[in-house]
Amino acid sequence: MRYDDVTRGVFLSRKNRFVARVAVDGVEQDVHVKNTGRLAELFLPGRTVFLARAAQGAARRTAYDLIAVDAAQEGEPPNYVNVDSNAPNASVEEWLCGGLFSEHASVRHEVRHGDSRFDFYVEDGEERAFIEVKGVTLLREGVALFPDAPTERGVKHIHGLAACLQAGYRAYLIFVIQTKGVHALSPNDATHPAFGAALRSAMAAGVTVLAYDCAVGPDHMCIGAPVPVVV
């Protein structure tokens, strides 16, 4: 996926879950944060960030969306991390047909099964599958961790995928790591032990759990290489 009209800025502070203060060409302004996670390891004052201009005519108070951060230390080459919570689904959608499924697969969005609504429902020949996507931005010592805050919704999705499996569908949970340079993905048990427990239970039941890193730049993100899931 690719963004149009991307601008560089300097991160100053996060005012609340949805708004950050950024300097653009030396002028401070509010920008929309497209991610409600904590992102404390990424949103550090002075860091270079990248902003996508909002569509013209959009009824909103900010002119830009904050979409990526350069997390490199001083003197290191750029280390881009995408922080747009919409980017994982968009990137997976581009990759599914020809990546995980055949090029002729049929893909539908936001399909309900039981009491859960999943990101994708795929029909590919005889295969019928539900897919839930989780974007990952929390990295520690080369390990991607999810979630970065407690997520009861995430636990519900895992239980829902197990129910899909029992009903005869394939069930996939795909973690999209929104950067490069990681060697594993693990549940963040310290932050939400119930999520880790649900993930292990679902994997034991047969839910397919996958993780992929991404090729990320200031104006793009696409699915990259598989990453081991270590539970």
Side-chain angles (χ1 to χ4, degrees), residues 3 9 66 90 100 118 166 172 185 213:
Y3 302 92
L66 200 165
L100 191 58
F118 298 101
Q166 293 172 358
Y172 293 85
L185 175 133
D213 67 14

Side-chain angles (χ1 to χ4, degrees), residues 136 143-147 175 184-189 195 199-200 228-231:
V136 185
V143 177
L145 298 171
F146 186 91
F175 291 99
L185 175 133
S186 293
N188 191 355
D189 293 310
F195 182 89
L199 180 65
R200 294 178 180 92
V229 177
V230 178
V231 297

Side-chain angles (χ1 to χ4, degrees), residues 154-185:
V155 172
K156 179 183 177 184
H157 279 142
I158 292 177
H159 292 321
L161 287 172
C164 292
L165 197 69
Q166 293 172 358
Y169 298 93
R170 293 290 301 275
Y172 293 85
L173 177 60
I174 302 177
F175 291 99
V176 176
I177 304 163
Q178 295 172 244
T179 190
K180 282 282 186 184
V182 299
H183 57 75
L185 175 133

Side-chain angles (χ1 to χ4, degrees), residues 29-32 52-55 60-65:
Q29 58 182 286
D30 289 343
V31 301
H32 175 56
R53 186 174 291 278
R60 50 183 290 167
R61 298 179 180 178
T62 56
Y64 294 102
D65 294 320

